[in-house]
Amino acid sequence: MAIRAVVWDVDDTLFDYTTADREGMRAHLLAEGLLDGHASVEEALQRWREVTDLQWARFAAGEVDFETQRRDRTRVFLDRNLTDAEADDWFRRYVTHYEAAWSLFPDVLPVLDALAASHRHAVLSNSSLTVQDRKLRLLGVHDRFEAILCAAELGVSKPEPDAFLAACEALSLPPDQVAYVGDHPEIDGRGAAEAGLLSVWIDRGGAYATVEPPVGPRRIASLAELPALLAADTRFGAPSTFG
């Protein structure tokens, strides 16, 4: 079957989350006078990343809600017994610096333009709709997507098949007519493949560059490669009849 739609991950796929998080936290720690508590800026940033990953895993496993994981990120990172309001205030100040560093990857707008007439588009993120809706609006691409689905509202997160199938249902398309593009080889790549979508792993040479690709996803280094990949039914080795 021809691929008729592309469902997109957001962070580190469309949006340069890693750079924004790093630069935003660097500016925040400086403003808060917290850099002296760490051996180096890089050590502080690495600690923030470790805490973020740990708390996000708790959210993805359904152990805590979205707001709780954000508050606990702050509490664990600062090693302080903060009230909810104190944790929220600290995180809100961080977000101000974080948003100042927001940007799309340079290959995003060209590929969205190239596929605008040929494919439908949606978003599936493991974040919350409040966060990603605002982000996509500020980045100027919100109107490119028919549907924006997020784990916090769905009640299920990637790599669970039901998350990917919910995106297909939102588009009223079967999985074999939908491609999914994401940056994580397991959560995005293997998850989408096991749900029956054409899975595309965008490997930008970041944290997962040395990971052996799992069976299923197609690995690309730039979104510029995506139109050619979608032009053929590569899952079965035969040309697509699309177009």
Side-chain angles (χ1 to χ4, degrees):
M1 296 294 292
I3 299 299
R4 299 176 58 192
V6 182
V7 179
W8 300 85
D9 174 52
V10 177
D11 295 347
D12 281 331
T13 297
L14 300 172
F15 161 64
D16 191 353
Y17 169 78
T18 295
T19 297
D21 187 45
R22 182 175 62 245
E23 297 307 315
M25 182 52 65
R26 186 192 304 272
H28 182 51
L29 293 176
L30 181 62
E32 297 282 311
L34 293 173
L35 287 179
D36 291 343
H38 300 271
S40 67
V41 173
E42 291 307 317
E43 180 190 79
L45 297 174
Q46 179 60 30
R47 175 60 177 159
W48 175 248
R49 171 53 51 199
E50 291 171 353
V51 171
T52 296
D53 289 347
L54 178 62
Q55 298 304 322
W56 193 263
R58 294 176 63 219
F59 166 68
E63 298 174 11
V64 296
D65 62 22
F66 186 78
E67 292 301 326
T68 298
Q69 66 83 22
R70 295 215 312 189
R71 290 165 180 158
D72 286 348
R73 284 165 67 185
T74 301
R75 292 178 177 122
V76 173
F77 178 73
L78 296 176
D79 193 22
R80 298 178 190 170
N81 188 23
L82 302 176
T83 65
D84 287 353
E86 290 171 334
D88 288 343
D89 286 344
W90 191 92
F91 199 90
R92 193 175 298 114
R93 294 194 299 274
Y94 152 69
V95 167
T96 299
H97 297 287
Y98 166 56
E99 289 186 355
W102 281 5
S103 67
L104 296 169
F105 286 105
D107 56 1
V108 171
L109 291 180
V111 78
L112 289 176
D113 287 343
L115 297 175
S118 58
H119 293 77
R120 299 164 63 194
H121 298 271
V123 159
L124 173 63
S125 167
N126 266 2
S127 184
S128 77
L129 186 59
T130 300
V131 170
Q132 300 297 40
D133 189 88
R134 170 177 168 77
K135 184 184 295 174
L136 294 169
R137 289 183 189 279
L138 291 179
L139 291 170
V141 293
H142 184 277
D143 292 344
R144 303 277 191 144
F145 307 105
E146 292 183 31
I148 299 171
L149 291 82
C150 294
E153 290 75 25
L154 283 175
V156 62
S157 59
K158 302 175 296 183
E160 291 300 318
D162 283 350
F164 297 98
L165 296 178
C168 296
E169 184 176 351
L171 293 167
S172 299
L173 291 174
D176 63 359
Q177 294 183 24
V178 179
Y180 188 83
V181 183
D183 72 291
H184 196 292
E186 293 292 333
I187 294 174
D188 296 316
R190 188 189 298 276
E194 291 183 348
L197 289 73
L198 173 62
S199 176
V200 183
W201 171 29
I202 173 67
D203 176 13
R204 298 186 182 278
Y208 311 113
T210 60
V211 173
E212 185 68 23
V215 175
R218 304 294 185 267
R219 187 178 190 173
I220 59 175
S222 167
L223 293 180
E225 301 173 52
L226 186 61
L229 181 61
L230 298 180
D233 192 346
T234 54
R235 289 168 298 176
F236 303 104
S240 169
T241 58
F242 181 79

